[in-house]
């Protein structure tokens, strides 16, 4: 442990990169209570070193500024009761926000990323939004710490612009979250993504034939469709489907069901394929996805909303 801490000390024994040290402590499976004690000792150590430095020391201003940033970001002054330390910036492991962050990063110059946020602020929806906010709050903190050691004006301007960009994202997402306090219940029930379905030559959604031989999967598939409608995207991941557009999947691990879909417009998603058989794995499954995505790619203009699909699933009809 001492070696790990020494890694972050400068020539005076002062530790400036608390964020990186904290992450490494987490990666080494140190318990939160131990981390709290370690960081508290580090702050105490830093204070002692700072006070011992001469006012004429050219590095003192840097340490003072760094101390201020660290104390603003990590309220460690209250550590006597170990209550207000860092847990608020820990992203919950069961909530995957990679899809949201990737989409936001690709749409930084406009407000379109708001459309992919959860449409219902139930438990999952609220956690997703909060974790996105946490991600960007941490990003801004990292930029602040980086700015302490930058002297070049061009670099300073770059990072200040980056910080303003992320502050704007936080503001817009917070406004979106706060707006739910004023949405009437009847409006909230209708506030969801539009889901459309890739149709076969008989104008029947492919998803119907995909699941017709596995009636036990209907409820799970219905739940996955709802997660797309609600914007919570259950266990979402991006697929490498060799297409000109981005393809995603949502999955229910326990039920071995998956839905492959793509984003076709603001608040609008098209379901391309459903997989229900746990034996459909590896090369076979990858080929099924690849073939269906290729077929869809050739007929992308032929999709339409079919409200009967979820009803069929619920009733177990074919």
């Amino acid at each position: 442990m001492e070696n790990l801490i020494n890694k972050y000390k400068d020539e005076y024994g002062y530790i400036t990169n608390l964020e990186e040290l904290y992450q490494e402590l987490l990666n080494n499976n140190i318990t939160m209570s131990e981390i709290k004690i370690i960081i508290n000792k580090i702050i105490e150590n830093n204070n002692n070193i700072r006070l011992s430095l001469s006012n004429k020391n050219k590095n003192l201003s840097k340490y003072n500024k760094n101390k201020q940033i660290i104390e603003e970001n990590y309220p460690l002054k209250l550590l006597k009761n170990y209550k207000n330390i860092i847990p608020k910036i820990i992203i919950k492991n069961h909530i995957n926000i990679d899809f949201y962050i990737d989409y936001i990063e690709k749409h930084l110059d406009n407000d379109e990323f708001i459309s992919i946020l959860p449409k219902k602020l139930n438990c999952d929806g609220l956690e997703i939004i909060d974790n996105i906010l946490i991600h960007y709050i941490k990003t801004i903190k990292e930029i602040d710490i980086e700015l302490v050691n930058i002297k070049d004006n061009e670099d300073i301007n770059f990072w200040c612009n980056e910080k303003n960009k992320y502050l704007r994202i936080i503001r817009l997402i917070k406004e979106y979250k706060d707006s739910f306090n004023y949405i009437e219940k009847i409006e909230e029930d209708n506030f969801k993504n539009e889901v459309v379905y890739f149709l076969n030559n008989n104008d029947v959604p492919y998803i119907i034939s995909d699941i017709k031989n596995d009636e036990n999967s209907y409820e799970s598939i219905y739940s996955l469709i709802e997660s797309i409608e609600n914007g919570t995207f259950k266990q979402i991941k991006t697929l490498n489907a060799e297409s000109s557009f981005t393809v995603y999947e949502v999955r229910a691990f326990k039920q071995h069901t998956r839905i492959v879909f793509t984003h076709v417009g603001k608040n609008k998603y098209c379901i391309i394929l459903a997989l229900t058989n746990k034996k459909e794995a590896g090369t076979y499954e990858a080929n099924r996805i690849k073939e269906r995505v290729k077929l869809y790619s050739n007929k992308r203009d032929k999709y339409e909303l079919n409200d009967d699909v979820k009803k069929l699933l619920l009733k177990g009809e074919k």
Side-chain angles (χ1 to χ4, degrees):
M1 181 57 63
E2 195 64 32
N3 290 337
L4 178 61
I5 295 174
N6 288 337
K7 191 172 125 180
Y8 292 90
K9 288 183 177 180
D10 65 7
E11 59 185 305
Y12 299 100
Y14 197 98
I15 295 175
T16 58
N17 198 339
L18 187 59
E19 174 73 13
E20 192 172 323
L21 171 60
Y22 169 69
Q23 290 298 332
E24 188 157 348
L25 289 170
L26 282 180
N27 293 337
N28 279 273
N29 297 318
I30 310 299
T31 66
M32 183 55 67
S33 60
E34 290 175 323
I35 291 176
K36 293 173 183 178
I37 294 171
I38 291 168
I39 295 181
N40 192 34
K41 288 182 178 179
I42 289 171
I43 291 298
E44 184 179 353
N45 172 76
N46 284 356
N47 282 338
N48 291 335
I49 293 173
R50 185 179 63 85
L51 293 173
S52 68
L53 292 172
S54 166
N55 289 331
K56 297 179 181 180
N57 191 307
K58 62 181 180 181
N59 292 317
L60 184 58
S61 60
K62 180 183 77 171
Y63 288 140
N64 277 329
K65 190 172 182 181
N66 181 268
K67 174 180 179 293
Q68 179 184 356
I69 289 174
I70 289 177
E71 288 192 345
E72 286 175 357
N73 292 338
Y74 302 90
L76 300 173
K77 292 179 287 186
L78 306 175
L79 264 183
K80 288 183 179 178
N81 296 320
Y82 295 140
K83 288 182 179 177
N84 291 314
I85 188 173
I86 305 168
K88 290 184 179 179
I89 65 169
I90 297 176
I91 294 178
K92 297 187 178 179
N93 291 330
H94 72 283
I95 296 292
N96 189 319
I97 60 170
D98 291 348
F99 159 73
Y100 300 92
I101 299 303
D102 180 65
Y103 194 92
I104 290 170
E105 295 294 326
K106 291 177 180 176
H107 297 83
L108 287 176
D109 297 328
N110 55 54
D111 300 348
E112 187 181 333
F113 64 84
I114 295 295
S115 70
I116 58 102
L117 296 177
K119 298 298 183 289
K120 290 186 182 294
L121 290 196
N122 52 15
C123 183
D124 287 342
L126 195 58
E127 285 188 1
I128 288 169
I129 286 181
D130 285 347
N131 283 341
I132 294 171
L133 288 172
I134 287 167
H135 171 85
Y136 285 109
I137 289 170
K138 289 182 68 177
T139 300
I140 287 172
K141 288 178 179 179
E142 290 167 0
I143 290 174
D144 282 339
I145 293 174
E146 183 70 23
L147 282 168
V148 172
N149 299 312
I150 295 178
K151 297 181 180 179
D152 184 80
N153 286 335
E154 188 174 339
D155 289 340
I156 291 173
N157 290 335
F158 171 80
W159 285 111
C160 284
N161 289 334
E162 288 294 294
K163 179 177 177 179
N164 289 334
K165 200 182 295 182
Y166 294 128
L167 283 171
R168 175 178 172 275
I169 292 173
I170 290 174
R171 177 179 59 80
L172 290 173
I173 295 178
K174 286 185 69 176
E175 288 175 358
Y176 176 84
K177 177 183 175 182
D178 293 342
S179 69
F180 276 82
N181 294 328
Y182 306 98
I183 294 177
E184 296 290 335
K185 184 68 173 70
I186 188 169
E187 182 182 349
E188 182 181 343
D189 290 340
N190 296 319
F191 187 51
K192 59 185 180 182
N193 291 321
E194 181 181 8
V195 173
V196 296
Y197 301 85
F198 181 32
L199 306 178
N200 63 21
N201 292 332
N202 296 318
D203 289 334
V204 176
Y206 274 103
I207 187 175
I208 297 297
S209 58
D210 290 338
I211 67 175
K212 69 178 182 179
N213 294 323
D214 191 351
E215 294 184 9
N216 292 331
S217 70
Y218 287 7
E219 186 175 350
S220 177
I221 291 292
Y222 172 79
S223 176
L224 291 177
I225 294 173
E226 275 202 323
S227 80
I228 298 174
E229 288 179 335
N230 295 337
T232 52
F233 302 107
K234 187 174 182 181
Q235 300 295 336
I236 189 169
K237 66 178 288 190
T238 303
L239 298 180
N240 181 13
E242 299 180 11
S243 60
S244 59
F245 50 94
T246 307
V247 179
Y248 308 98
E249 75 164 16
V250 285
R251 172 182 291 197
F253 286 106
K254 187 174 180 181
Q255 292 77 20
H256 305 288
T257 52
R258 300 166 63 186
I259 287 179
V260 177
F261 68 102
T262 188
H263 189 219
V264 293
K266 187 175 181 180
N267 299 324
K268 190 171 184 179
Y269 299 85
C270 182
I271 293 178
I272 301 172
L273 169 71
L275 297 165
T276 64
N277 191 336
K278 63 182 178 181
K279 295 180 181 178
E280 293 180 355
T283 303
Y284 174 76
E285 186 178 74
N287 286 338
R288 271 199 73 188
I289 294 173
K290 184 178 178 180
E291 289 171 5
R292 181 67 62 80
V293 169
K294 183 177 180 181
L295 182 63
Y296 169 77
S297 182
N298 294 330
K299 301 180 179 181
R300 288 182 70 185
D301 57 335
K302 295 185 66 176
Y303 58 76
E304 62 186 66
L305 182 63
N306 188 325
D307 288 327
D308 293 330
V309 171
K310 285 204 303 179
K311 295 175 186 176
L312 291 171
L313 298 176
L314 282 177
K315 294 177 182 177
E317 299 174 1
K318 295 193 274 288

